[in-house]
Amino acid sequence: ARPDRCVPSAEDRELGRIGEAVRSHLSRIERPARDARRAVSAMFFEIFKILLHQWLLGRGPVTIGELMRRAGCSYPTVAEALRRLEHTQELVRRSNRSVRLARFPQRTWGEILAMSETLRRTQCYADSSGRAADPAALHRRLQALAPERVAVGGVPAARHWDPHFNLHGLPRLDVSISMAAGTDDAGFPRRLDPALQRVEPGARGVILAVHPLYRAEPRFEKNSRGKMDWADPVETLLDLHELRLVDQAEHLIERLAKSFPA
């Protein structure tokens, strides 16, 4: 396998986490506060996800202009994001003004996961009717409703991206919704099921998680067997981490890296 398509093993990842924790502690002691790495911004988050999407599916470099168009942001914003990835040695620039990730960006991915709840602004819903939670039935209603600008993520999308995905049942329904048109479709969950009630992330009984996407292009994957598109693999991985399906997420990264060679 090509070195840039390799994903660290579980043992390597654990050693990496320990190393990062030690380096983080030492950096706080030795470096002045002004040199601290800045928090991940909302636009960096979107640009990073576009680059990781390209890497996971082996689609090669993307031009800076294409990054600007897909994310819906200015050149200075993209340039700043690329400098940040260069600082961590996770980015390769090419002579034709295109860029790609050098490898799976373990360091930045860890930072993204640590801030995922803030960055994603997930909206969670529980069933207020008192009946037993049934995410599978909710999924069927979603397919019948087939709302625009919405894609299925989470466990069903993971099964789409990896037919060998190992998890029985559906713990909750995750969907991504494109907000690129500038309208907040707050009524969508109510149309899906009037009994759905907004709750805080982490609350008991969450049956639906809605993940708004603010980039210009949502990059949903067409579903050849149904009405609902699939969320892209990066959003799917973030869904799995929110569900605490960490091992399954790491296995999905490994399978994608092997299935889509650059």
Side-chain angles (χ1 to χ4, degrees):
R2 285 178 42 177
D4 65 323
R5 301 301 293 163
C6 293
V7 179
S9 67
E11 182 177 346
D12 291 337
R13 285 191 290 268
E14 184 59 30
L15 290 173
R17 292 188 188 105
I18 294 171
E20 285 296 333
V22 171
R23 282 193 290 271
S24 176
H25 175 70
L26 292 175
S27 68
R28 288 194 295 271
I29 295 173
E30 297 173 357
R31 293 183 183 178
R34 66 177 180 272
D35 290 336
R37 189 166 162 83
R38 286 189 294 176
V40 173
S41 69
M43 283 313 306
F44 175 84
F45 182 49
E46 295 302 336
I47 294 165
F48 171 78
K49 288 191 294 182
I50 293 168
L51 290 170
L52 183 55
H53 178 272
Q54 291 284 122
W55 187 90
L56 286 169
L57 298 186
R59 292 181 177 172
V62 59
T63 66
I64 293 175
E66 184 70 7
L67 273 177
M68 292 166 56
R69 186 179 67 80
R70 291 191 196 177
C73 62
S74 65
Y75 174 80
T77 301
V78 171
E80 176 61 29
L82 299 182
R83 282 194 294 269
R84 184 185 182 109
L85 289 167
E86 282 183 305
H87 179 72
T88 56
Q89 300 181 342
E90 294 172 325
L91 187 81
V92 173
R93 289 184 184 267
R94 298 169 66 91
S95 58
N96 62 351
R97 288 174 57 83
S98 66
V99 294
R100 64 174 175 83
L101 292 176
R103 60 189 180 282
F104 183 78
Q106 196 73 40
R107 178 174 174 179
T108 301
W109 181 240
E111 294 176 353
I112 292 293
L113 293 178
M115 295 186 62
S116 177
E117 182 176 330
T118 300
L119 291 166
R120 299 192 86 195
R121 293 178 274 186
T122 298
Q123 302 165 12
C124 295
Y125 295 84
D127 191 329
S128 62
S129 68
R131 65 194 173 203
D134 191 350
L138 194 66
H139 187 198
R140 290 192 292 272
R141 286 198 292 275
L142 177 69
Q143 291 173 313
L145 183 63
E148 295 182 358
R149 302 182 296 113
V150 175
V152 177
V155 170
R159 292 188 179 120
H160 162 73
W161 292 112
D162 177 14
H164 302 286
F165 183 77
N166 185 22
L167 185 77
H168 296 293
L170 181 61
R172 76 180 188 195
L173 178 61
D174 285 80
V175 299
S176 292
I177 179 167
S178 174
M179 313 301 292
T183 56
D184 190 346
D185 190 2
F188 154 66
R190 285 284 184 174
R191 296 203 312 276
L192 184 60
D193 187 340
L196 290 175
Q197 183 176 34
R198 182 84 176 264
V199 296
E200 291 296 319
R204 293 174 61 86
V206 172
I207 190 174
L208 171 68
V210 179
H211 309 286
L213 298 181
Y214 293 94
R215 60 178 176 261
E217 288 189 359
R219 308 295 287 183
F220 295 152
E221 185 83 2
K222 290 295 181 184
N223 184 349
S224 60
R225 298 182 178 181
K227 297 179 181 178
M228 296 299 303
D229 292 340
W230 300 113
D232 74 68
V234 182
E235 299 300 332
T236 302
L237 288 167
L238 291 168
D239 294 345
L240 296 181
H241 275 277
E242 283 191 15
L243 288 163
R244 303 294 187 265
L245 300 175
V246 177
D247 288 343
Q248 288 88 342
E250 292 181 346
H251 290 153
L252 179 56
I253 292 170
E254 292 168 0
R255 285 192 178 275
L256 287 171
K258 292 177 181 176
S259 299
F260 296 97

